Amino acid sequence: SVFPFDDVMYFTINDPETVNSISKLTEGIFDVKSFGSVEIVGTMLETIEDNVLEYSHPTLFIFTLNNNKLQNFPFQTINLYEKLISLNLNNNELKEIPIFFSSTLRILSMNSNENLDFQSTITTFDGIPELRQLFLSNIGLKTLVPKMFQRLAYISDIYLSGNFLVE
């Protein structure tokens, strides 16, 4: 991609007709560009490599990858984003939410990832202590571990609708 400048506030690809054939974001694709907000919605995106947004580590505050085909996401790199407050991965094909770390993340949305094998434990969200909103609707969730949200001192909203929760 050729951009006439290195700092881009908003980068958006929104293709609800799914005619965009983007399937992979590889390291180096954005060269040394930095972004404040990245939104890639409604593509055929299946893979995003670990450091595809390396130069956005100090600038990215919103990362949205909704309505794609992602099966994996590089959660292990989230702690590198110094200003990231919102991560939206709704309606993909993600298989897991590993324990990951971020001192800035306030919104985590993973609705409608129906194949998600969510292993809830008392420490599941310990690595994201600033979390305020958590969206886990329609993920096939069957149980919750008592006190799993206890350490989220700032949580105000938890959305779990459309799951199969039982006592």
Side-chain angles (χ1 to χ4, degrees), residues 99-102 122-129 148 150-152:
I99 293 175
F100 67 95
F101 301 92
S102 171
I122 196 167
T123 59
T124 299
F125 300 110
D126 282 3
I128 43 178
M148 72 181 287
Q150 179 177 337
R151 296 183 182 144
L152 294 175

Side-chain angles (χ1 to χ4, degrees), residues 87-155:
L87 178 60
N88 301 290
L89 300 168
N90 297 322
N91 199 22
N92 279 287
E93 298 172 7
L94 293 169
K95 306 247 188 276
E96 68 174 339
I97 306 174
I99 293 175
F100 67 95
F101 301 92
S102 171
S103 62
T104 60
L105 194 65
R106 287 173 172 68
I107 301 166
L108 176 60
S109 188
M110 297 189 66
N111 293 330
S112 300
N113 280 280
E114 297 171 1
N115 296 320
L116 200 60
D117 183 17
F118 181 68
Q119 302 295 320
S120 61
T121 69
I122 196 167
T123 59
T124 299
F125 300 110
D126 282 3
I128 43 178
E130 298 295 319
L131 200 63
R132 284 153 172 81
Q133 294 181 309
L134 178 62
F135 298 85
L136 296 174
S137 296
N138 301 308
I139 63 167
L141 187 62
K142 295 179 181 134
T143 61
L144 293 176
V145 173
K147 301 182 181 182
M148 72 181 287
F149 304 114
Q150 179 177 337
R151 296 183 182 144
L152 294 175
Y154 304 106
I155 197 79

